[in-house]
Amino acid sequence: GQQVMQIPQYQHVQEGEDFTTYCNSSTTLSNIQWYKQRPGGHPVFLIQLVKSGEVKKQKRLTFQFGEAKKNSSLHITATQTTDVGTYFCAPYSGGYQKVTFGTGTKLQVIP
Amino acid sequence: GAGVSQSPSNKVTEKGKDVELRCDPISGHTALYWYRQSLGQGLEFLIYFQGNSAPDKSGLPSDRFSAERTGGSVSTLTIQRTQQEDSAVYLCASSLYRVGGNSPLHFGNGTRLTVT
């Protein structure tokens, strides 16, 4: 299947600025997960969104699932150097479908 | 508890040799995935095992790649006649699959394969 696009591919921000990455699917999803991969590390699960229009917050991170369950976003408020890494969405279509990952957004925070 | 364990952590091999990569998933996890990640790139799906179902092999890039999962637990990814383009980090992940939904993937630290 076609890999889900994330935009932007790369983002450089000054520490303290906000950051947003978007994940867009052409099909309706059952749910979507978000992962973070630090440089040299492996992906680590952040959150799962299931309901249409769902918004979840984790400290400075806000995750949204679109009303049509086709797109999602991750917003980081006041970035810190610890936010550096690549953020991947993992859209899931349901049933026994495999989990594949979006193209990822690489975030670099300039101190 | 113990996480996903992969071995070896690093493997250097000569072009044309066969390699075996091992993954020990979290106990009780019925779903197991292999992904490949080239330097600075995304996560490329390779193969997916779910319980006793036939594996989804749709991501294997060529017939040189194969994988097994014995007893619903340990998995081995085999690459025959390795090529330089096979150089990458091979990541294994497992999850506690729930009917009608999915659960978070837990990744191992990966095996870094270098083909010289």
Side-chain angles (χ1 to χ4, degrees), chain B residues 34-103:
Chain B
W34 284 97
Y35 297 91
R36 178 169 71 174
Q37 189 171 37
S38 300
L39 187 62
Q41 300 301 306
L43 298 161
E44 178 188 5
F45 166 79
L46 296 178
I47 189 168
Y48 162 48
F49 297 89
Q50 174 53 55
N52 296 320
S53 302
D56 182 335
K57 304 179 181 181
S58 60
L60 294 178
S62 77
D63 58 8
R64 296 187 295 105
F65 288 72
S66 62
E68 292 184 340
R69 188 179 186 189
T70 54
S73 180
V74 172
S75 178
T76 302
L77 177 68
T78 301
I79 309 173
Q80 296 179 313
R81 305 181 301 282
T82 51
Q83 303 295 313
Q84 287 186 331
E85 60 263 29
D86 299 334
S87 295
V89 175
Y90 290 80
L91 290 162
C92 175
S94 70
S95 74
L96 184 63
Y97 179 83
R98 293 193 295 262
V99 175
N102 64 326
S103 54

Side-chain angles (χ1 to χ4, degrees), chain A residues 3 10 30-31 33 35 37 41-45 48 88 90 92 94-103, chain B residues 33 35 37 40-43 45 48 50 53 56 58 91 97-105 107-109:
Chain A
Q3 194 169 25
Y10 301 97
S30 175
N31 64 53
Q33 297 174 346
Y35 292 77
Q37 184 176 25
H42 58 267
V44 174
F45 172 79
Q48 178 168 291
F88 292 98
Y92 178 66
Y96 287 97
Q97 294 296 312
K98 59 183 179 285
V99 176
T100 58
F101 287 82
T103 49
Chain B
Y33 293 80
Y35 297 91
Q37 189 171 37
Q41 300 301 306
L43 298 161
F45 166 79
Y48 162 48
Q50 174 53 55
S53 302
D56 182 335
S58 60
L91 290 162
Y97 179 83
R98 293 193 295 262
V99 175
N102 64 326
S103 54
L105 267 61
F107 282 83
N109 289 329

